[in-house]
Amino acid sequence: MTSTDTLSITPQPTRLPIRFGQFLPLAPPSIMLIFIFAIPMGMMIALSFRGADGALLTLDNYQRFFSDDLMLAGLWRTALMSGLVAICVTVMAYPVAYYLARSTSRWRTVVFALAIAPELAGVVLRTYGWLVILEDHGAINSILIWSGMISEPLPLSKNLLGVVIGLTHVVLPFGILSLLTSIQGIDPNLERAAQILGASRLSIIRRIILPLSVPGIVSSLLIAFTMSASAYATPALLGGAGFKVLATMVYEQVLFYIDWPLAAVMAVLLLILMLTMTLAGTRAEARLQRKLHV
Amino acid sequence: MDRLLSFAFQLSLFLILAFIALPILVVLAASVSPTTTITFNPSEWTFQWFTALTASRWLDPFLLSIKLAAIVTALSGLLGFLAAYAVAYQKCPGHETIMAFLVSPLAVPQIVKGVAIVLFLSSSGFYSLLGTPGLVMAHIILTLPFVLRMIAGAMYNFDKRLDQAGRILGATAAQRIRFILLPIIKPGLFSGMTFAFILSFNNIPLSVFLVRPGETTLPITVINHMEYSLDPVLAAVNVASLAFILTAILVFEKIGGFSTQIHGGSK
Amino acid sequence: MSSNDIEMISVTKAYGSHRAVNEVNLAIPAGEFVSILGPSGCGKTTTLNMIAGFAHPSSGDIRIRGKSQNGVPPEKRGIGMVFQNYALFPHMTVEENVAFGLKMKKRPIGEIRDAVKHALRRVHLDGYGERYPKELSGGQQQRAALARAIAPEPSLLLLDEPLSNLDLKLREAMRVELKDIQEQLAMTFVYVTHDQDEAMAMSDRIVVMQNGVVAQCGRPADIYDHPRSSFVADFIGKSNLLPIQEVQRSGKDWVVSVATGLSLRAKTPDDTLADPPQYCCIRPEAVRLTMVESDASTSANRLAGTLTRMVNLGAYFDCFVTLQDGTVLKSLVRSTRLPGLTSNQTVFLSIEREAVQLLPR
């Protein structure tokens, strides 16, 4: 079989010289990113370790944060609020995502638009809407008082409840999208296979769909948690003056108390909270994905 | 049993969708209700609150937000294209690492980016950049990763043989970009820019640190006002800005034609 | 007491104005291996889904073991199914997958254990029970899916192109195994496929579908030897299909004129033709090719032409012969029969009258 030799010429590896022209288009975006993102981030982290006496590396500022009960309460409140929103969002997003993943009806497009489009409206409009609905003289309390069911307005806003409702509304579309991706990845034939083997609707949900959508549930919890933990406007407006979370506390430190090292500490803590959650979440998600998918 | 389950499912679906729609419907109704009491009766509706929008107290921030969003959109489109061209199209050495660096701001919450930028500008003597220049730069840091990802996505899908075909037909590098690459990645470019426009126009967490008296964006003006009262004018302002965004999306769609891409059409 | 496992009575499935399945009548006898064969979009999968209960007929009735299945959900039909992509539950081991159906029927644990073991042994997967589906090869996944379907011992098994994701060698081996399992268990198999070789190899009966209707139903040999339409002749096996211009009676034979001017003598089992035939079909193996002119005394059709192309199939040659009038006929020639056969030489063809089949459409 000598004739094949002429056909199979081994390609010689050609080493292309690195042309610096290739990197030229990267200059403007990279310079921008270095000066407006990388250096400021580095300075902020450095500032959080700067002592009042000029020391470059001290934990004084962190100690100030952790010895202050009000600030610790703010940290705890951030975690509690974000956790509650994560659960509410995931529970509410699940039926919508399941419907969107499986439905073939013409209502599907309508439901999709309804579920996702509010994101265009921005946080301010939606927060305003919830305030009008929830506040003491708002729609719900007016109706309840008018109907005689209550005499004093229920505390629906300017507290944790109001913030959780508002944030759930803001984050819900993201929860729906991440669950949708996951549920769409579950082969519909699995449900049919279970059904033809005699499984009821309930046991299909319990034994097939829920276990297989765990990665989606994790990513929905994760995105809801991280978005809530760093949300500023909703807690500021729906939570009222006494409702302090890391995001609003940072803002106050920068603009009212002008305590920049403390602001830097809070920002770093918020970053750490987010990064650990993201890391733990994506790890768990990747592990589950690997286990579940062929 | 299964019927009960199906009923419960549909009921929960309906309630969740109602929850999503409720505040938006309330704002729409509030913007046309004659008093602070919201009415859903169309015969009572009035547009009196919208006339307040012509006052400079609302009009100036509105115009600033539009200007800001336009500059941010154009610049992040340009920077995003340049970066994507090197990283996703030319696949320059180390393109994966460079891409990871360019999208790294996504991992940092906006409020943290805002603090970092305002501390940097204030403590490094760039105090004069607070206001519009600072807002533009901060918003670009936010939007660039998104725009870059969408353009890079379009470029990764680009069939390199089209470029080779253009080359064999005698097109120069600039001509190939102008007549082959750009038209094909246009939907990705424009969907990225639309996204950048919305992000910038609605932004609060970055803007809140960088606005200055007399240079305040619309969302910040609204939330500052909202802390004191729920004036129906605010509803009108919100509805007007929503209408503006929807119009802007339609215009972008008209130019960029990205809905074919989003709906998986072949283009 | 009906001996048919499945009866479909004028079943129609319409999506809007499109009829995916149109007035299908079908009886599938118990214990038979029946293939539903057709190109994609012919309605075969819709038919299978209606039998399974995943789709509902727009009109007509489907009966399983004599009982109408109208309103009976899939989980209550007591049938098994093997899916094209296997649909193994990725979060369960092979054993858990196979046990699933029995568990849903709330069988005692001991019984489940025995049935799982039995089913796995039958598909030669003993020892693989602890593995997850992704740890199996394609062929093993296929077997696991089969084990899961037969473990609850349904009397009726539906198979939706189960071999289409396997490579050719494995596919051919699985054909034999599937047929063995079907015979041993005496189950009714309804097998959907677009692969005619697969259908021919395994089936007791083939249902050929086209555009939502049954084009022909019968034993594999009958369908091959006596296709009832040009579609069936073309879809099953290879054929020379020639459009007919005119048919005339000549003694006991028919004289068929083809559009190009060629005329052939045909002999049909029945003396009359119900419809005027539109096509004639000649299987390539019935076209006998020789290098010298054959004996003039035979009653066969004798033709001469030029061998324009030979395609080497290994054991056989596909020979394309262009006749004087321009018609191209395919002939199948065993490689060893005519040494020295080359392209562009004059060759002679003889076709028995019985091999020229007249098709109404």
Side-chain angles (χ1 to χ4, degrees):
Chain A
M1 293 296 278
T2 49
S3 62
T4 54
D5 287 353
T6 52
L7 294 174
S8 58
I9 296 165
T10 331
Q12 291 297 316
T14 46
R15 187 166 285 279
L16 288 171
I18 292 178
R19 289 177 293 122
F20 284 95
Q22 283 184 302
F23 295 99
L24 209 60
L26 283 172
S30 303
I31 291 168
M32 180 93 194
L33 216 59
I34 288 167
F35 279 94
I36 313 297
F37 176 68
I39 292 177
M41 287 294 292
M43 278 188 62
M44 183 189 77
I45 293 168
L47 187 64
S48 75
F49 293 105
R50 178 90 50 82
D53 51 358
L56 285 179
L57 199 62
T58 153
L59 287 175
D60 285 358
N61 300 317
Y62 288 87
Q63 205 174 358
R64 273 206 289 151
F65 181 91
F66 284 105
S67 55
D68 187 323
D69 287 346
L70 279 176
M71 292 189 190
L72 279 177
L75 180 62
W76 161 239
R77 197 177 288 114
T78 307
L80 175 72
M81 169 191 82
S82 308
L84 285 174
V85 173
I87 292 165
C88 291
V89 161
T90 306
V91 168
M92 288 173 76
Y94 207 98
V96 182
Y98 184 77
Y99 173 83
L100 290 175
R102 288 291 186 258
S103 169
T104 49
S105 99
R106 59 207 144 101
W107 288 101
R108 189 190 174 279
T109 323
V110 179
V111 173
F112 188 79
L114 210 58
I116 307 303
E119 218 42 51
L120 300 175
V123 174
V124 184
L125 185 146
R126 291 185 280 171
T127 310
Y128 178 84
W130 281 117
L131 269 176
V132 170
I133 296 166
L134 297 175
E135 61 145 3
D136 289 355
H137 309 289
I140 291 181
N141 277 320
S142 305
I143 291 169
L144 290 179
I145 291 172
W146 174 79
S147 67
M149 286 168 78
I150 52 169
S151 52
E152 288 295 306
L154 296 173
L156 299 174
S157 67
K158 305 291 173 196
N159 54 20
L160 182 65
L161 177 67
V163 177
V164 170
I165 291 175
L167 274 177
T168 299
H169 191 261
V170 171
V171 180
L172 194 56
F174 295 91
I176 291 173
L177 286 178
S178 46
L179 279 166
L180 177 59
T181 320
S182 167
I183 297 175
Q184 269 175 339
I186 304 174
D187 179 2
N189 272 347
L190 295 180
E191 289 174 49
R192 295 168 150 213
Q195 204 181 357
I196 210 145
L197 288 165
S200 68
R201 210 56 232 163
L202 205 62
S203 56
I204 293 175
I205 294 173
R206 200 164 59 88
R207 290 170 190 274
I208 312 291
I209 303 167
L210 275 179
L212 286 176
S213 57
V214 168
I217 293 172
V218 171
S219 83
S220 165
L221 288 171
L222 190 67
I223 195 164
F225 187 96
T226 50
M227 284 186 72
S228 310
S230 58
Y232 167 76
T234 312
L237 293 168
L238 279 166
F243 193 87
K244 295 276 175 270
V245 287
L246 276 180
T248 54
M249 282 154 57
V250 169
Y251 176 76
E252 282 181 351
Q253 291 301 329
V254 172
L255 287 148
F256 296 141
Y257 304 119
I258 328 268
D259 189 341
W260 291 349
L262 200 57
V265 165
M266 289 173 178
V268 170
L269 288 176
L270 185 55
L271 191 61
I272 291 172
L273 181 68
M274 306 260 303
L275 290 181
T276 41
M277 290 301 290
T278 312
L279 209 66
T282 44
R283 275 243 179 120
E285 203 189 325
R287 210 175 53 234
L288 291 163
Q289 283 290 9
R290 262 205 310 283
K291 203 179 142 195
L292 290 179
H293 285 102
V294 184
Chain B
M1 179 62 206
D2 279 6
R3 196 163 297 170
L4 189 72
L5 205 65
S6 152
F7 174 76
F9 178 74
Q10 283 175 10
L11 183 70
S12 65
L13 200 61
F14 173 79
L15 289 176
I16 294 162
L17 292 174
F19 171 82
I20 294 174
L22 184 66
I24 293 157
L25 293 178
V26 164
V27 177
L28 288 177
S31 72
V32 288
S33 297
T35 60
T36 51
T37 317
I38 294 160
T39 171
F40 286 97
N41 178 1
S43 63
E44 293 174 33
W45 285 353
T46 153
F47 287 94
Q48 69 190 56
W49 308 114
F50 286 89
T51 55
L53 297 182
T54 52
S56 71
R57 122 179 236 214
W58 297 114
L59 195 61
D60 291 350
F62 207 150
L63 293 176
L64 177 74
S65 278
I66 294 172
K67 189 174 88 179
L68 180 62
I71 297 172
V72 167
T73 303
L75 282 179
S76 51
L78 179 68
L79 294 173
F81 177 82
L82 287 175
Y85 186 80
V87 172
Y89 189 74
Q90 302 266 28
K91 300 235 171 63
C92 62
H95 61 93
E96 279 161 2
T97 318
I98 297 172
M99 183 73 179
F101 166 69
L102 291 172
V103 299
S104 62
L106 283 180
V108 178
Q110 287 192 48
I111 196 107
V112 176
K113 280 182 276 209
V115 177
I117 293 169
V118 75
L119 293 185
F120 171 70
L121 293 180
S122 315
S123 61
S124 313
F126 296 113
Y127 201 81
S128 57
L129 289 180
L130 290 177
T132 313
L135 282 166
V136 169
M137 290 187 290
H139 282 201
I140 288 176
I141 295 303
L142 170 68
T143 56
L144 184 60
F146 290 104
V147 179
L148 172 58
R149 269 194 180 175
M150 291 193 199
I151 302 176
M155 283 187 184
Y156 283 129
N157 289 330
F158 179 82
D159 184 354
K160 271 292 174 64
R161 282 167 298 189
L162 295 177
D163 187 70
Q164 291 168 347
R167 204 163 190 178
I168 217 92
L169 290 167
T172 63
Q175 283 172 324
R176 277 176 276 141
I177 291 176
R178 163 86 180 74
F179 294 109
I180 301 170
L181 181 62
L182 268 179
I184 288 175
I185 61 140
K186 200 169 95 175
L189 177 65
F190 273 81
S191 51
M193 293 196 351
T194 312
F195 202 63
F197 191 90
I198 300 168
L199 275 179
S200 169
F201 191 82
N202 282 336
N203 187 275
I204 299 169
L206 290 173
S207 304
V208 82
F209 291 104
L210 294 158
V211 292
R212 280 201 312 197
E215 278 181 80
T216 310
T217 63
L218 188 63
I220 304 297
T221 315
V222 174
I223 61 170
N224 286 342
H225 197 86
M226 242 159 92
E227 286 184 60
Y228 306 105
S229 89
L230 289 180
D231 197 338
V233 172
L234 289 172
V237 172
N238 275 316
V239 171
S241 79
L242 178 59
F244 174 74
I245 283 187
L246 294 177
T247 319
I249 292 172
L250 286 180
V251 172
F252 276 113
E253 207 294 314
K254 198 85 190 156
I255 308 169
F258 49 76
S259 62
T260 51
Q261 187 199 31
I262 291 165
H263 298 306
S266 57
K267 171 113 190 194
Chain C
M1 180 65 201
S2 162
S3 68
N4 286 334
D5 236 5
I6 304 173
E7 288 163 307
M8 297 181 72
I9 299 150
S10 60
V11 171
T12 295
K13 175 70 183 177
Y15 295 104
S17 61
H18 170 66
R19 291 185 165 197
V21 172
N22 196 358
E23 294 284 330
V24 164
N25 287 290
L26 207 58
I28 295 177
E32 276 202 3
F33 194 125
V34 177
S35 292
I36 303 180
L37 177 65
S40 61
C42 71
K44 57 186 194 297
T45 302
T46 309
T47 305
L48 196 74
N49 280 335
M50 285 193 287
I51 298 173
F54 295 129
H56 306 287
S58 311
S59 66
D61 194 18
I62 295 176
R63 293 182 192 158
I64 296 179
R65 291 177 290 272
K67 270 195 228 106
S68 170
Q69 297 296 307
N70 201 356
V72 180
E75 63 268 29
K76 299 271 195 286
R77 293 194 178 194
I79 53 188
M81 185 160 177
V82 179
F83 293 83
Q84 183 172 10
N85 57 358
Y86 319 136
L88 290 166
F89 305 129
H91 57 309
M92 298 180 193
T93 61
V94 169
E95 253 168 23
E96 288 167 339
N97 264 286
V98 178
F100 190 87
L102 297 153
K103 217 157 127 190
M104 291 298 114
K105 293 185 173 61
K106 304 213 160 56
R107 297 278 171 77
I109 291 183
E111 192 188 314
I112 294 180
R113 203 183 303 128
D114 292 345
V116 168
K117 222 165 149 186
H118 198 68
L120 285 178
R121 185 164 322 132
R122 193 175 287 283
V123 299
H124 310 298
L125 273 185
D126 1 24
Y128 288 90
E130 309 271 296
R131 302 222 189 159
Y132 282 91
K134 66 166 181 198
E135 296 164 345
L136 301 181
S137 70
Q140 290 167 334
Q141 290 184 15
Q142 219 284 311
R143 288 157 197 272
L146 188 61
R148 183 178 70 181
I150 60 175
E153 297 183 347
S155 69
L156 170 60
L157 193 67
L158 309 178
L159 302 101
D160 183 9
E161 310 217 13
L163 304 184
S164 60
N165 290 338
L166 303 180
D167 62 52
L168 186 64
K169 270 245 152 59
L170 204 52
R171 200 152 65 210
E172 284 174 350
M174 280 307 292
R175 284 180 197 165
V176 180
E177 274 189 46
L178 272 178
K179 184 68 188 160
D180 278 353
I181 288 171
Q182 186 259 335
E183 280 169 359
Q184 281 166 21
L185 297 175
M187 272 184 197
T188 312
F189 272 34
V190 179
Y191 190 101
V192 160
T193 181
H194 65 268
D195 182 337
Q196 45 124 351
D197 291 339
E198 230 167 79
M200 297 290 284
M202 293 185 285
S203 315
D204 296 316
R205 197 180 291 261
I206 295 178
V207 180
V208 185
M209 287 190 76
Q210 176 197 14
N211 297 332
V213 298
V214 174
Q216 192 167 356
C217 171
R219 308 257 157 213
D222 287 347
I223 291 186
Y224 187 81
D225 292 340
H226 304 291
R228 249 195 269 139
S229 67
S230 58
F231 170 78
V232 176
D234 194 37
F235 195 72
I236 310 242
K238 290 178 176 171
S239 62
N240 292 293
L241 270 180
L242 306 170
I244 292 175
Q245 199 146 57
E246 204 186 343
V247 191
Q248 274 175 345
R249 192 82 207 198
S250 159
K252 289 203 150 185
D253 296 350
W254 301 96
V255 176
V256 180
S257 305
V258 176
T260 49
L262 178 71
S263 80
L264 293 164
R265 299 180 81 84
K267 195 173 177 181
T268 52
D270 16 282
D271 281 351
T272 52
L273 290 171
D275 300 308
Q278 301 291 315
Y279 290 93
C280 76
C281 158
I282 308 160
R283 295 291 184 190
E285 65 271 21
V287 179
R288 190 177 160 78
L289 185 145
T290 49
M291 283 151 77
V292 291
E293 192 155 18
S294 59
D295 188 357
S297 66
T298 64
S299 59
N301 293 290
R302 289 182 306 130
L303 304 160
T306 311
L307 179 58
T308 38
R309 186 179 289 257
M310 287 169 73
V311 178
N312 193 343
L313 302 177
Y316 290 93
F317 282 116
D318 244 350
C319 295
F320 293 76
V321 177
T322 310
L323 307 179
Q324 271 98 356
D325 66 326
T327 311
V328 178
L329 284 181
K330 272 175 288 186
S331 169
L332 199 65
V333 178
R334 183 180 284 283
S335 318
T336 51
R337 193 165 68 84
L338 292 173
L341 190 65
T342 52
S343 294
N344 293 323
Q345 74 181 86
T346 305
V347 292
F348 302 92
L349 306 173
S350 78
I351 305 164
E352 293 297 334
R353 285 170 302 161
E354 290 81 0
V356 179
Q357 306 195 40
L358 306 181
L359 306 175
R361 53 183 184 276

